[in-house]
Amino acid sequence: MAKKNILICGAGGFIGGHLVNHLLKDKSNNLICADIKPKEYWFQIYEENKNFSLDLKEYENCLEVTKNIDYVLNMACNMGGMGFIENNKAECMLSVLINTNLLRAGLKNKIKKYFYSSSACAYNASKQNETFIKGLKESDAYPAMPEDGYGWEKLFSERMCRHFQEDFNLETRVVRYHNIYGPLGTYNGGREKAPAALCRKIIDAKINKKKEIDVWGDGEQTRSFLYIEDCIRGTMNVFNSNHSDVFNVGSEEQVSINQMIGIIEEIAGYKVNKNYQLDKPKGVRGRSSDNTFIKSKINWEPNYSLREGLKLTYDWIHSEMTNGTNISKFTKS
Ligand code: GKE
Protein backbone atom coordinates (compact mmCIF):
# COMPACT_ATOMS: atom_id res chain seq x y z
CA MET A 1 0.00 0.00 0.00
CA ALA A 2 1.30 3.47 -0.87
CA LYS A 3 2.34 5.47 2.17
CA LYS A 4 0.41 8.63 3.07
CA ASN A 5 2.61 11.71 3.18
CA ILE A 6 1.45 13.82 6.12
CA LEU A 7 2.84 17.25 6.97
CA ILE A 8 2.52 18.32 10.62
CA CYS A 9 3.09 22.05 11.05
CA GLY A 10 4.04 23.15 14.55
CA ALA A 11 5.37 19.62 15.17
CA GLY A 12 7.80 20.93 17.76
CA GLY A 13 5.02 22.37 19.89
CA PHE A 14 2.85 20.79 22.57
CA ILE A 15 -0.14 19.58 20.53
CA GLY A 16 1.95 19.03 17.38
CA GLY A 17 4.39 16.81 19.27
CA HIS A 18 1.62 14.61 20.67
CA LEU A 19 0.02 14.41 17.23
CA VAL A 20 3.29 13.20 15.67
CA ASN A 21 3.64 10.62 18.44
CA HIS A 22 0.11 9.38 17.66
CA LEU A 23 0.50 9.32 13.87
CA LEU A 24 3.79 7.40 14.11
CA LYS A 25 1.87 4.36 15.38
CA ASP A 26 0.41 3.86 11.89
CA LYS A 27 3.24 2.49 9.77
CA SER A 28 1.49 3.54 6.56
CA ASN A 29 2.15 7.18 7.51
CA ASN A 30 5.19 9.00 6.22
CA LEU A 31 5.61 12.04 8.48
CA ILE A 32 7.11 15.37 7.50
CA CYS A 33 7.45 17.72 10.47
CA ALA A 34 7.97 21.49 10.46
CA ASP A 35 8.39 24.05 13.21
CA ILE A 36 9.97 27.49 13.53
CA LYS A 37 11.91 26.49 16.65
CA PRO A 38 15.44 25.09 16.35
CA LYS A 39 15.13 21.31 16.65
CA GLU A 40 16.76 21.16 20.09
CA TYR A 41 13.73 23.04 21.47
CA TRP A 42 11.04 20.72 20.04
CA PHE A 43 9.01 19.09 22.83
CA GLN A 44 9.12 15.77 20.94
CA ILE A 45 11.28 14.84 17.95
CA TYR A 46 11.59 11.50 16.17
CA GLU A 47 14.56 10.74 13.93
CA GLU A 48 12.57 8.48 11.58
CA ASN A 49 10.59 11.53 10.36
CA LYS A 50 11.78 14.31 8.09
CA ASN A 51 12.15 17.26 10.45
CA PHE A 52 12.48 20.86 9.25
CA SER A 53 13.13 23.98 11.29
CA LEU A 54 11.72 26.83 9.21
CA ASP A 55 9.37 29.80 9.26
CA LEU A 56 5.99 28.90 7.77
CA LYS A 57 4.99 32.56 7.57
CA GLU A 58 7.09 32.56 4.37
CA TYR A 59 5.29 31.35 1.24
CA GLU A 60 8.46 29.83 -0.26
CA ASN A 61 8.91 27.62 2.80
CA CYS A 62 5.26 26.54 2.63
CA LEU A 63 5.68 25.64 -1.05
CA GLU A 64 8.76 23.58 -0.27
CA VAL A 65 7.31 21.54 2.60
CA THR A 66 3.94 20.84 0.92
CA LYS A 67 5.58 19.20 -2.16
CA ASN A 68 4.22 15.63 -2.58
CA ILE A 69 2.16 15.98 0.58
CA ASP A 70 -1.28 14.34 0.82
CA TYR A 71 -2.48 15.80 4.12
CA VAL A 72 -1.57 18.92 6.09
CA LEU A 73 -2.33 19.29 9.80
CA ASN A 74 -1.58 22.86 10.84
CA MET A 75 -0.90 23.27 14.57
CA ALA A 76 1.59 26.09 14.02
CA CYS A 77 0.96 29.48 15.58
CA ASN A 78 2.60 31.91 17.93
CA MET A 79 0.60 31.41 21.10
CA GLY A 80 0.43 30.81 24.80
CA GLY A 81 -1.74 31.32 27.83
CA MET A 82 -3.33 34.61 28.84
CA GLY A 83 0.01 36.07 29.95
CA PHE A 84 1.30 35.78 26.37
CA ILE A 85 -1.70 36.50 24.17
CA GLU A 86 -2.83 39.63 26.04
CA ASN A 87 0.64 41.17 25.68
CA ASN A 88 1.58 40.04 22.14
CA LYS A 89 -1.41 40.81 19.95
CA ALA A 90 0.52 41.71 16.80
CA GLU A 91 2.68 38.58 17.08
CA CYS A 92 -0.45 36.47 17.47
CA MET A 93 -2.11 38.09 14.46
CA LEU A 94 0.95 37.45 12.29
CA SER A 95 0.14 33.73 12.46
CA VAL A 96 -2.44 34.54 9.78
CA LEU A 97 0.49 34.33 7.36
CA ILE A 98 1.13 30.71 8.31
CA ASN A 99 -2.40 29.60 7.58
CA THR A 100 -2.77 31.74 4.47
CA ASN A 101 0.48 30.65 2.89
CA LEU A 102 -0.02 27.00 3.80
CA LEU A 103 -3.46 27.05 2.15
CA ARG A 104 -2.06 28.74 -0.98
CA ALA A 105 0.86 26.34 -1.18
CA GLY A 106 -1.31 23.33 -0.40
CA LEU A 107 -3.64 24.24 -3.22
CA LYS A 108 -0.77 24.71 -5.65
CA ASN A 109 0.79 21.38 -4.65
CA LYS A 110 -2.60 19.65 -4.83
CA ILE A 111 -2.84 18.32 -1.28
CA LYS A 112 -5.93 16.25 -0.49
CA LYS A 113 -7.00 17.70 2.86
CA TYR A 114 -6.08 20.53 5.25
CA PHE A 115 -6.64 20.75 9.01
CA TYR A 116 -6.67 24.05 10.91
CA SER A 117 -6.46 24.29 14.70
CA SER A 118 -8.64 27.16 15.85
CA SER A 119 -9.42 28.14 19.43
CA ALA A 120 -12.20 28.90 21.87
CA CYS A 121 -10.74 32.42 21.77
CA ALA A 122 -12.73 32.78 18.51
CA TYR A 123 -15.98 33.01 20.53
CA ASN A 124 -17.88 36.23 21.02
CA ALA A 125 -16.51 37.79 24.22
CA SER A 126 -19.88 39.26 25.23
CA LYS A 127 -21.21 35.70 25.72
CA GLN A 128 -18.47 35.00 28.28
CA ASN A 129 -19.04 37.76 30.84
CA GLU A 130 -20.34 35.52 33.65
CA THR A 131 -18.87 32.65 35.64
CA PHE A 132 -20.30 29.15 35.03
CA ILE A 133 -21.83 30.12 31.71
CA LYS A 134 -23.70 27.65 29.52
CA GLY A 135 -21.27 25.86 27.22
CA LEU A 136 -20.47 27.71 24.00
CA LYS A 137 -22.11 26.30 20.90
CA GLU A 138 -20.27 26.60 17.60
CA SER A 139 -22.76 29.26 16.44
CA ASP A 140 -21.79 31.48 19.43
CA ALA A 141 -18.75 32.76 17.50
CA TYR A 142 -21.13 35.14 15.69
CA PRO A 143 -21.78 38.01 15.62
CA ALA A 144 -18.00 38.29 15.66
CA MET A 145 -16.35 39.75 18.74
CA PRO A 146 -13.49 37.38 19.48
CA GLU A 147 -10.51 37.76 21.82
CA ASP A 148 -8.56 40.80 20.65
CA GLY A 149 -5.53 39.87 18.53
CA TYR A 150 -5.25 36.09 18.89
CA GLY A 151 -8.98 35.37 18.56
CA TRP A 152 -9.43 37.57 15.49
CA GLU A 153 -6.64 35.69 13.74
CA LYS A 154 -8.30 32.39 14.57
CA LEU A 155 -11.74 33.46 13.37
CA PHE A 156 -10.36 34.96 10.16
CA SER A 157 -8.31 31.84 9.41
CA GLU A 158 -11.33 29.61 10.04
CA ARG A 159 -13.17 31.52 7.35
CA MET A 160 -10.22 31.34 5.00
CA CYS A 161 -10.42 27.53 5.26
CA ARG A 162 -14.13 27.63 4.57
CA HIS A 163 -13.65 29.74 1.44
CA PHE A 164 -10.77 27.64 0.12
CA GLN A 165 -13.14 24.69 0.36
CA GLU A 166 -16.10 26.53 -1.21
CA ASP A 167 -14.21 28.35 -3.96
CA PHE A 168 -11.27 26.00 -4.71
CA ASN A 169 -12.60 22.58 -3.62
CA LEU A 170 -9.79 22.09 -1.11
CA GLU A 171 -11.10 19.79 1.66
CA THR A 172 -10.68 21.57 5.00
CA ARG A 173 -11.34 20.57 8.62
CA VAL A 174 -11.43 23.02 11.52
CA VAL A 175 -11.76 22.58 15.28
CA ARG A 176 -11.83 25.03 18.17
CA TYR A 177 -9.63 23.80 21.02
CA HIS A 178 -10.65 24.67 24.58
CA ASN A 179 -7.54 25.08 26.78
CA ILE A 180 -5.61 21.88 26.04
CA TYR A 181 -3.24 20.70 28.78
CA GLY A 182 -1.04 17.73 29.62
CA PRO A 183 2.55 16.49 29.85
CA LEU A 184 5.28 17.62 27.45
CA GLY A 185 4.01 21.17 27.23
CA THR A 186 5.02 24.60 28.49
CA TYR A 187 4.88 24.99 32.26
CA ASN A 188 7.09 28.05 32.77
CA GLY A 189 8.63 30.97 30.90
CA GLY A 190 5.50 33.08 30.28
CA ARG A 191 3.54 31.11 27.67
CA GLU A 192 2.12 28.50 30.05
CA LYS A 193 -1.62 28.17 30.58
CA ALA A 194 -3.36 27.94 33.95
CA PRO A 195 -3.27 24.14 34.54
CA ALA A 196 0.50 23.89 34.03
CA ALA A 197 1.22 27.21 35.75
CA LEU A 198 -0.75 26.28 38.86
CA CYS A 199 0.75 22.77 39.03
CA ARG A 200 4.21 24.37 38.82
CA LYS A 201 3.42 26.92 41.54
CA ILE A 202 2.05 24.30 43.94
CA ILE A 203 4.98 21.93 43.30
CA ASP A 204 7.38 24.81 43.93
CA ALA A 205 5.53 25.75 47.13
CA LYS A 206 5.61 22.16 48.38
CA ILE A 207 9.30 21.63 47.58
CA ASN A 208 10.36 24.95 49.07
CA LYS A 209 7.89 24.88 51.95
CA LYS A 210 6.18 28.10 50.81
CA LYS A 211 2.76 28.86 52.24
CA GLU A 212 1.37 31.02 49.42
CA ILE A 213 1.07 31.07 45.62
CA ASP A 214 0.19 33.92 43.25
CA VAL A 215 -3.11 33.50 41.38
CA TRP A 216 -4.13 35.80 38.53
CA GLY A 217 -7.53 37.41 39.06
CA ASP A 218 -9.87 36.57 41.93
CA GLY A 219 -9.87 32.83 41.18
CA GLU A 220 -13.63 32.80 40.56
CA GLN A 221 -13.25 32.95 36.74
CA THR A 222 -14.32 29.66 35.13
CA ARG A 223 -12.93 27.50 32.33
CA SER A 224 -13.02 23.95 31.02
CA PHE A 225 -9.77 22.16 30.24
CA LEU A 226 -9.19 19.27 27.84
CA TYR A 227 -6.54 16.58 28.34
CA ILE A 228 -4.13 16.19 25.43
CA GLU A 229 -5.00 12.56 24.64
CA ASP A 230 -8.68 13.48 24.24
CA CYS A 231 -7.60 16.40 22.06
CA ILE A 232 -5.60 14.18 19.69
CA ARG A 233 -8.48 11.69 19.39
CA GLY A 234 -10.95 14.51 18.71
CA THR A 235 -8.60 16.02 16.15
CA MET A 236 -8.19 12.78 14.22
CA ASN A 237 -11.90 11.95 14.40
CA VAL A 238 -12.78 15.31 12.86
CA PHE A 239 -9.93 15.10 10.35
CA ASN A 240 -11.02 11.64 9.15
CA SER A 241 -14.71 12.57 9.00
CA ASN A 242 -16.70 13.88 6.06
CA HIS A 243 -17.70 17.03 7.96
CA SER A 244 -16.25 20.41 7.08
CA ASP A 245 -18.19 22.27 9.81
CA VAL A 246 -16.25 23.91 12.64
CA PHE A 247 -16.34 21.75 15.81
CA ASN A 248 -15.60 22.34 19.48
CA VAL A 249 -12.90 20.05 20.82
CA GLY A 250 -13.22 20.80 24.51
CA SER A 251 -14.53 19.60 27.83
CA GLU A 252 -17.92 20.36 29.39
CA GLU A 253 -16.46 20.05 32.92
CA GLN A 254 -16.46 23.72 33.92
CA VAL A 255 -14.55 24.73 37.06
CA SER A 256 -13.42 27.94 38.68
CA ILE A 257 -9.68 28.51 38.93
CA ASN A 258 -10.07 28.19 42.72
CA GLN A 259 -11.72 24.78 42.27
CA MET A 260 -8.89 23.66 39.98
CA ILE A 261 -6.36 24.77 42.60
CA GLY A 262 -8.29 22.65 45.13
CA ILE A 263 -7.89 19.56 42.89
CA ILE A 264 -4.16 20.22 42.43
CA GLU A 265 -3.75 20.67 46.20
CA GLU A 266 -5.33 17.24 46.75
CA ILE A 267 -3.03 15.66 44.15
CA ALA A 268 -0.01 17.34 45.78
CA GLY A 269 -1.15 16.58 49.31
CA TYR A 270 -0.25 20.19 50.11
CA LYS A 271 -2.44 23.22 50.83
CA VAL A 272 -1.56 26.82 49.93
CA ASN A 273 -2.89 30.30 50.59
CA LYS A 274 -3.81 32.27 47.48
CA ASN A 275 -2.44 35.71 46.73
CA TYR A 276 -4.92 37.09 44.20
CA GLN A 277 -3.28 39.39 41.64
CA LEU A 278 -6.10 41.42 40.14
CA ASP A 279 -3.85 43.34 37.74
CA LYS A 280 -2.64 40.22 35.88
CA PRO A 281 -4.15 39.01 32.54
CA LYS A 282 -7.52 37.42 33.20
CA GLY A 283 -9.20 36.90 29.82
CA VAL A 284 -12.92 36.20 29.73
CA ARG A 285 -14.91 35.69 32.95
CA GLY A 286 -16.35 32.30 32.05
CA ARG A 287 -15.83 29.79 29.23
CA SER A 288 -16.80 26.18 28.57
CA SER A 289 -17.55 23.91 25.64
CA ASP A 290 -20.94 22.62 24.49
CA ASN A 291 -20.23 19.27 22.82
CA THR A 292 -23.73 18.56 21.48
CA PHE A 293 -22.74 19.14 17.86
CA ILE A 294 -19.50 17.12 17.83
CA LYS A 295 -21.17 14.29 19.77
CA SER A 296 -23.97 14.05 17.25
CA LYS A 297 -21.87 14.35 14.07
CA ILE A 298 -18.51 12.82 15.02
CA ASN A 299 -19.42 10.73 18.08
CA TRP A 300 -16.55 12.21 20.10
CA GLU A 301 -16.48 13.16 23.76
CA PRO A 302 -13.66 13.37 26.31
CA ASN A 303 -12.55 10.28 28.28
CA TYR A 304 -10.48 12.02 30.95
CA SER A 305 -11.89 13.87 33.93
CA LEU A 306 -10.03 17.03 34.93
CA ARG A 307 -8.72 15.26 38.04
CA GLU A 308 -7.31 12.36 35.98
CA GLY A 309 -5.65 14.68 33.47
CA LEU A 310 -4.25 16.98 36.15
CA LYS A 311 -2.74 14.03 38.02
CA LEU A 312 -0.80 12.96 34.88
CA THR A 313 0.21 16.56 34.19
CA TYR A 314 1.25 17.22 37.79
CA ASP A 315 3.38 14.04 37.87
CA TRP A 316 5.17 15.03 34.66
CA ILE A 317 5.85 18.61 35.76
CA HIS A 318 6.99 17.31 39.14
CA SER A 319 9.47 14.95 37.47
CA GLU A 320 10.71 17.75 35.21
CA MET A 321 11.20 20.09 38.17
CA THR A 322 12.88 17.54 40.39
CA ASN A 323 15.06 15.44 38.09
CA GLY A 324 14.34 16.44 34.50
CA THR A 325 13.35 12.95 33.38
CA ASN A 326 10.38 12.45 31.08
CA ILE A 327 7.64 10.02 31.94
CA SER A 328 6.87 8.03 28.81
CA LYS A 329 3.31 6.96 29.73
CA PHE A 330 0.55 9.54 29.81
CA THR A 331 -2.55 7.38 29.60
CA LYS A 332 -4.68 6.36 32.52
CA SER A 333 -4.51 2.60 31.83
N1 GKE B 1 -1.65 31.36 32.59
C1 GKE B 1 -2.01 31.54 33.87
N2 GKE B 1 -1.06 31.50 34.85
N3 GKE B 1 -3.31 31.81 34.15
C2 GKE B 1 -3.66 31.96 35.42
C3 GKE B 1 -2.73 31.90 36.49
C4 GKE B 1 -1.37 31.66 36.16
O1 GKE B 1 -0.48 31.57 37.03
N4 GKE B 1 -3.40 32.10 37.65
C5 GKE B 1 -4.68 32.28 37.32
N5 GKE B 1 -4.85 32.22 35.98
C6 GKE B 1 -6.11 32.47 35.28
C7 GKE B 1 -6.02 33.50 34.15
O2 GKE B 1 -6.03 34.82 34.66
C8 GKE B 1 -7.29 33.17 33.36
O3 GKE B 1 -8.39 33.86 33.90
C9 GKE B 1 -7.45 31.66 33.59
O4 GKE B 1 -6.56 31.30 34.66
C10 GKE B 1 -7.08 30.83 32.37
O5 GKE B 1 -5.87 31.31 31.87
P1 GKE B 1 -5.07 30.59 30.67
O6 GKE B 1 -5.08 29.11 30.92
O7 GKE B 1 -3.74 31.25 30.58
O8 GKE B 1 -5.86 30.94 29.36
P2 GKE B 1 -7.38 31.17 28.89
O9 GKE B 1 -8.21 29.96 29.19
O10 GKE B 1 -7.90 32.46 29.44
O11 GKE B 1 -7.16 31.39 27.37
C11 GKE B 1 -6.58 30.38 26.57
O12 GKE B 1 -7.63 29.77 25.89
C12 GKE B 1 -7.31 28.74 25.01
C13 GKE B 1 -8.58 28.31 24.34
O13 GKE B 1 -9.54 27.99 25.27
C14 GKE B 1 -5.65 31.07 25.57
O14 GKE B 1 -4.56 31.62 26.26
C15 GKE B 1 -5.20 30.14 24.52
O15 GKE B 1 -4.09 29.42 25.01
C16 GKE B 1 -6.18 29.12 24.03
O16 GKE B 1 -6.70 29.50 22.81
Side-chain angles (χ1 to χ4, degrees):
M1 195 175 71
K3 284 204 165 199
K4 289 177 286 220
N5 292 326
I6 306 179
L7 171 66
I8 298 104
C9 303
F14 166 51
I15 300 177
H18 283 277
L19 184 65
V20 170
N21 177 288
H22 170 83
L23 290 169
L24 266 180
K25 291 175 190 146
D26 182 344
K27 297 295 168 216
S28 69
N29 291 335
N30 185 29
L31 303 187
I32 295 87
C33 300
D35 199 289
I36 194 168
K37 289 192 284 291
K39 287 181 210 164
E40 61 266 32
Y41 295 113
W42 292 25
F43 286 109
Q44 301 188 51
I45 189 157
Y46 300 90
E47 293 310 323
E48 59 264 55
N49 301 332
K50 286 200 191 88
N51 298 309
F52 297 97
S53 170
L54 42 75
D55 186 353
L56 293 168
K57 294 195 291 306
E58 303 296 335
Y59 180 57
E60 293 305 318
N61 288 340
C62 292
L63 264 186
E64 193 56 39
V65 289
T66 52
K67 255 183 216 148
N68 301 317
I69 293 292
D70 299 306
Y71 304 110
V72 174
L73 291 127
N74 176 20
M75 306 290 157
C77 74
N78 200 347
M79 63 85 67
M82 262 305 134
F84 181 79
I85 66 176
E86 275 202 5
N87 294 309
N88 296 275
K89 294 188 181 128
E91 282 295 334
C92 290
M93 291 210 77
L94 282 171
S95 295
V96 77
L97 295 173
I98 303 175
N99 191 58
T100 307
N101 285 328
L102 275 173
L103 279 167
R104 292 170 66 210
L107 193 66
K108 180 142 194 181
N109 282 324
K110 298 192 172 51
I111 64 163
K112 298 189 179 113
K113 208 192 274 185
Y114 182 88
F115 175 91
Y116 177 63
S117 49
S118 184
S119 161
C121 288
Y123 281 109
N124 185 316
S126 71
K127 299 180 184 181
Q128 303 170 78
N129 286 333
E130 308 290 329
T131 60
F132 291 103
I133 60 162
K134 275 206 302 203
L136 294 157
K137 290 190 191 319
E138 285 76 357
S139 55
D140 287 326
Y142 294 97
M145 206 221 291
E147 174 84 35
D148 197 7
Y150 182 73
W152 277 103
E153 189 280 313
K154 291 292 182 191
L155 198 63
F156 180 88
S157 290
E158 285 184 7
R159 289 191 84 93
M160 181 98 73
C161 290
R162 174 172 144 189
H163 296 305
F164 265 67
Q165 168 138 353
E166 286 173 359
D167 295 358
F168 305 138
N169 291 321
L170 174 60
E171 285 279 325
T172 60
R173 301 287 179 270
V174 178
V175 302
R176 293 188 187 129
Y177 292 140
H178 288 247
N179 209 318
I180 314 300
Y181 72 99
L184 291 165
T186 308
Y187 64 90
N188 59 13
R191 288 182 188 251
E192 63 278 13
K193 290 180 274 173
L198 294 166
C199 284
R200 183 198 77 229
K201 289 177 184 183
I202 291 175
I203 292 166
D204 175 59
K206 185 176 176 182
I207 292 173
N208 297 305
K209 301 193 173 46
K210 294 180 191 162
K211 298 231 170 335
E212 189 175 89
I213 63 164
D214 289 339
V215 177
W216 298 355
D218 64 3
E220 293 305 309
Q221 64 272 47
T222 57
R223 295 288 186 278
S224 67
F225 303 95
L226 185 73
Y227 188 62
I228 184 67
E229 194 177 307
D230 285 327
C231 164
I232 298 300
R233 193 168 44 83
T235 298
M236 292 316 299
N237 287 6
V238 172
F239 184 72
N240 291 325
S241 79
N242 294 322
H243 299 285
S244 57
D245 313 83
V246 176
F247 290 101
N248 278 330
V249 169
S251 162
E252 294 182 330
E253 187 185 347
Q254 191 174 180
V255 291
S256 69
I257 295 302
N258 284 328
Q259 287 173 329
M260 181 162 71
I261 291 170
I263 298 174
I264 301 171
E265 285 178 327
E266 283 173 19
I267 291 167
Y270 190 76
K271 276 195 123 19
V272 289
N273 297 322
K274 301 183 250 315
N275 175 36
Y276 295 114
Q277 299 181 301
L278 302 183
D279 56 339
K280 292 286 183 184
K282 294 180 284 293
V284 293
R285 190 67 176 147
R287 173 180 290 159
S288 184
S289 179
D290 180 316
N291 291 343
T292 312
F293 189 52
I294 187 164
K295 257 188 236 166
S296 71
K297 296 276 182 188
I298 310 281
N299 196 24
W300 173 88
E301 59 185 326
N303 275 339
Y304 284 78
S305 67
L306 179 60
R307 184 177 293 269
E308 288 170 329
L310 280 175
K311 167 85 176 103
L312 293 159
T313 307
Y314 179 96
D315 286 348
W316 178 75
I317 296 175
H318 186 273
S319 77
E320 285 287 301
M321 288 173 68
T322 49
N323 53 28
T325 53
N326 289 349
I327 298 169
S328 55
K329 276 185 133 186
F330 309 118
T331 58
K332 50 183 169 179
S333 55

